Amino acid sequence: MTEPHRDPETGPGPEPEPATEPDTSLTDRHAALVRMADGADRFGSRRDPDDPGDVRAMPMVLHIPKAEPPARSALLRAAATATALVCLDLRVGPDGPWHGEYTAWLDARIRKVSRRARGAQWAAAQEVDGITTTVDGASARAYVPCRLRDLDPRLRKLQVEGTDLPLDDRTDAPDPDALVLWVNGTLDMTVGKTAAQVGHAVMLAAGRLPFETVDRWFGRGCPTDVRIADAARWAESTALGDAVVGVRDAGYTEVAPGSTTVLADLRSIT
């Protein structure tokens, strides 16, 4: 179950800023994801800036305490939900303070960079614009996308590589309100890489689903259910055609270019 962020080490995190006027721009925010999803197969035509510092990415921070690390599946659910909440937040809408950076990122190659934090670093990471989600005790925060050169120093210092957790085999029934995401278990991805991939999957799914469905899902807090697919399950899921949408990775890290890393089951929410 998705809960408001409350961390035992640092206390409550900041709540999203309350809207000062009725939220009437969800249709615009959804439309932006529709345009992104429609252009997803054309990522090869989008060129990177000549200066690497001008590359845009969405930062993500995973809370991984040393003494009691979270379950991998719960952390991935938190990362996916946090990403969806940022992309549908009022502040990325046409009149919102995050709109410019967010839309510039959508118009480029969609990149996310996951980092890990604990203790005081996690507390400091809550001060940077973004949204934290906690699922079954696991917390992740997704941030406003930015150019790599503009990344907040409180995030820049956090570790990127070496972020991993053991696989946990979930056998419980899926949440009927959640968007189900199947991770390609034949790929050896770290939890940081997988967090970025499930974040991309929820964006593609929201862009493929009807507005009315996304509206209801957003009203429920964008719950997600992340499962690992073995080879047989993956083959079964890929055969579902338009009932699923997949993330095709550009191959910058960990996997070969063109690998399909995650499938979102569009039938799982109504």
Side-chain angles (χ1 to χ4, degrees), residues 45-52 54-56 108-109 111 252:
S45 65
R46 296 176 177 176
R47 299 186 59 184
D48 284 331
D50 293 334
D51 187 335
D54 288 331
V55 170
R56 295 182 180 273
R109 291 184 175 183
R111 282 190 172 91
Y252 296 119

Side-chain angles (χ1 to χ4, degrees), residues 8 17 31 35 42 61 69 83 87-88 111 144 153 178 189 209 212 222 246 260 267 270:
E17 297 175 7
R35 290 190 295 273
R42 300 193 298 274
V61 173
T83 302
C87 293
L88 293 170
R111 282 190 172 91
V144 183
M189 295 187 292
L209 288 165
E212 293 76 15
C222 299
T260 301
R267 309 165 303 170
T270 58

Side-chain angles (χ1 to χ4, degrees), residues 60 62 72 75-76 79-80 83 112 114 140 189-201:
M60 304 173 72
L62 311 177
R72 181 186 180 110
L75 189 60
L76 293 175
T83 302
K112 299 178 183 69
S114 299
M189 295 187 292
T190 63
V191 71
K193 174 72 173 181
T194 310
Q197 300 301 296
V198 296
H200 197 164

Side-chain angles (χ1 to χ4, degrees), residues 55-59 101 105 144-152:
V55 170
R56 295 182 180 273
M58 171 184 274
E101 292 290 350
W105 174 63
V144 183
C146 65
R147 297 187 304 172
L148 295 181
R149 70 169 70 257
D150 298 330
L151 184 64
D152 190 285

Side-chain angles (χ1 to χ4, degrees), residues 9-243:
E9 293 185 10
T10 63
E15 296 295 329
E17 297 175 7
T20 57
E21 57 186 23
D23 181 0
T24 60
S25 68
L26 184 59
T27 52
D28 295 313
R29 281 125 60 196
H30 176 248
L33 291 174
V34 171
R35 290 190 295 273
M36 183 278 300
D38 286 345
D41 291 335
R42 300 193 298 274
F43 70 84
S45 65
R46 296 176 177 176
R47 299 186 59 184
D48 284 331
D50 293 334
D51 187 335
D54 288 331
V55 170
R56 295 182 180 273
M58 171 184 274
M60 304 173 72
V61 173
L62 311 177
H63 184 215
I64 307 181
K66 186 174 183 179
E68 297 183 7
R72 181 186 180 110
S73 60
L75 189 60
L76 293 175
R77 290 159 64 196
T81 294
T83 302
L85 290 175
V86 168
C87 293
L88 293 170
D89 191 272
L90 180 65
R91 289 165 287 183
V92 305
D95 298 320
W98 299 350
H99 180 72
E101 292 290 350
Y102 175 72
T103 54
W105 174 63
L106 286 185
D107 289 338
R109 291 184 175 183
I110 301 300
R111 282 190 172 91
K112 299 178 183 69
V113 179
S114 299
R115 290 171 163 80
R116 73 180 186 195
R118 59 175 65 103
Q121 291 179 330
W122 175 248
Q126 303 306 298
E127 300 169 359
V128 183
D129 282 346
I131 294 177
T132 294
T133 300
T134 298
V135 176
D136 292 343
S139 297
R141 187 170 179 85
Y143 295 85
V144 183
C146 65
R147 297 187 304 172
L148 295 181
R149 70 169 70 257
D150 298 330
L151 184 64
D152 190 285
R154 289 165 290 190
L155 305 184
R156 190 186 303 277
K157 67 176 64 175
L158 301 178
Q159 183 170 342
V160 178
E161 296 180 352
T163 301
D164 211 359
L165 292 169
L167 295 173
D168 54 298
D169 185 16
R170 296 187 59 205
T171 58
D172 55 313
D175 180 349
D177 291 330
L179 175 67
V180 175
L181 307 172
W182 288 99
V183 175
N184 188 344
T186 68
L187 300 175
D188 186 20
M189 295 187 292
T190 63
V191 71
K193 174 72 173 181
T194 310
Q197 300 301 296
V198 296
H200 197 164
V202 295
M203 294 173 64
L204 291 173
R208 295 293 189 210
L209 288 165
F211 171 76
E212 293 76 15
T213 301
V214 173
D215 187 19
R216 289 190 293 270
W217 183 56
F218 181 54
R220 298 194 295 262
C222 299
T224 58
D225 195 321
V226 179
R227 306 270 168 159
I228 303 299
D230 59 19
R233 177 70 203 202
W234 186 255
E236 178 183 331
S237 297
T238 55
L240 292 173
D242 291 341

